[in-house]
Amino acid sequence: LPNAAQKAEAILSDMLLAYERTGDSSLKPNKISYGAVLAAWARSDEDEAANRAEALVGEVINRYVTGEEESIRPNEVMFNSVIHALSKSKDGDTSSRARRAVAKMWQLYDDGRCPDVRPTTTTYNSLLNCCSDADEALDTLDQMQRAWTQGDTIIPHPDVVSFASVIDALASQKTANAADKAENLAAKLERMYHQTADEKLKPNITVYTCLIRALKYGGRDTTDLDAVVERVERLGLRPDDKFLHAVDNACQYLQARASPSEFSSLD
């Protein structure tokens, strides 16, 4: 709906004003009220969505810290909405702002007053989507992988979404080196899944769609694409339209690169 987030925040403001005027506790906004408005900003495509989400969660923190109001105690879902809004923002500093949000989560959690604000894998996956480049995303994923390898239960462990996000970031680099890294990540994900049988690590068609996109620019020839298609078949995954389109587009691009006189540019 147009301006849905603005309307939701206006209702929240009206609730707060009514409570302050009447003292009626049934009108007092709580964490559900704030969470709903933050979720609306996370879904919004408005330019100010990330700014409004940050301001709103800041208001929640301030009210909770100064008044110890349990009804609005910050939680992980609120911050996830903020980070998701940042991942959609076109501002140039979203990576640093997202990292500050995660740092604030850890601070509130470590203080012992907000046990529900501890960052999760969902939080870190949203953070991955805010990374300024593939190298930064790789570093973040590496931190999560080390936690998984070492049995660290503090830092969230990666899942299939984590790997798909970083492979997609590598695909955007459009280099052979990035394609090699994407291939290595896909292979590592497969190994982790086979070692653990953890359904959260089970490779899906999105992973291989992103890998095909990386190989489009970094693959040596179409045999690299054929190998990915064979892996998809071997794993029993069902190709969707996005995967089939990516394969077709990458095939044409690699063939055009091999015989530039016979094909038009598909970059």
Side-chain angles (χ1 to χ4, degrees), residues 233-266:
E233 293 175 349
R234 186 173 65 252
L235 291 167
L237 299 176
R238 178 177 295 180
D240 58 12
D241 289 342
K242 289 183 179 179
F243 177 79
L244 295 173
H245 176 75
V247 171
D248 182 62
N249 188 267
C251 247
Q252 292 186 56
Y253 180 85
L254 289 171
Q255 289 171 348
R257 192 175 65 179
S259 304
S261 62
E262 298 179 24
F263 297 88
S264 60
S265 175
L266 294 165

Side-chain angles (χ1 to χ4, degrees), residues 89-97 132:
S89 174
K90 295 176 182 172
D91 294 339
D93 59 347
T94 54
S95 175
S96 59
R97 288 159 67 186
S132 58

Side-chain angles (χ1 to χ4, degrees), residues 154-199:
I154 301 299
I155 300 297
H157 296 177
D159 62 9
V160 64
V161 177
S162 315
F163 281 86
S165 296
V166 179
I167 293 172
D168 188 51
L170 287 165
S172 68
Q173 288 195 328
K174 302 181 180 181
T175 66
N177 185 46
D180 289 340
K181 291 178 180 179
E183 176 61 58
N184 289 337
L185 277 184
K188 180 177 288 187
L189 175 63
E190 291 170 4
R191 289 195 301 271
M192 290 171 67
Y193 174 64
H194 290 309
Q195 288 172 14
T196 65
D198 185 345
E199 287 297 310

Side-chain angles (χ1 to χ4, degrees), residues 85-205:
L86 284 167
S87 73
K88 297 165 62 180
S89 174
K90 295 176 182 172
D91 294 339
D93 59 347
T94 54
S95 175
S96 59
R97 288 159 67 186
R99 290 189 179 279
R100 284 199 296 271
V102 173
K104 188 64 177 181
M105 293 175 76
W106 281 118
Q107 179 189 346
L108 291 169
Y109 176 74
D110 290 340
D111 283 347
R113 291 191 291 179
C114 299
D116 299 331
V117 81
R118 176 178 170 175
T120 63
T121 298
T122 299
T123 307
Y124 274 72
N125 285 344
S126 293
L127 177 61
L128 285 169
N129 290 328
C130 292
C131 289
S132 58
D133 56 41
D135 289 335
E136 183 183 356
L138 274 169
D139 288 342
T140 302
L141 179 61
D142 185 57
Q143 181 185 16
M144 298 172 74
Q145 288 182 76
R146 286 199 306 272
W148 179 83
T149 302
Q150 297 168 4
D152 185 341
T153 58
I154 301 299
I155 300 297
H157 296 177
D159 62 9
V160 64
V161 177
S162 315
F163 281 86
S165 296
V166 179
I167 293 172
D168 188 51
L170 287 165
S172 68
Q173 288 195 328
K174 302 181 180 181
T175 66
N177 185 46
D180 289 340
K181 291 178 180 179
E183 176 61 58
N184 289 337
L185 277 184
K188 180 177 288 187
L189 175 63
E190 291 170 4
R191 289 195 301 271
M192 290 171 67
Y193 174 64
H194 290 309
Q195 288 172 14
T196 65
D198 185 345
E199 287 297 310
K200 293 179 181 179
L201 290 169
K202 185 176 183 178
N204 59 27
I205 198 65

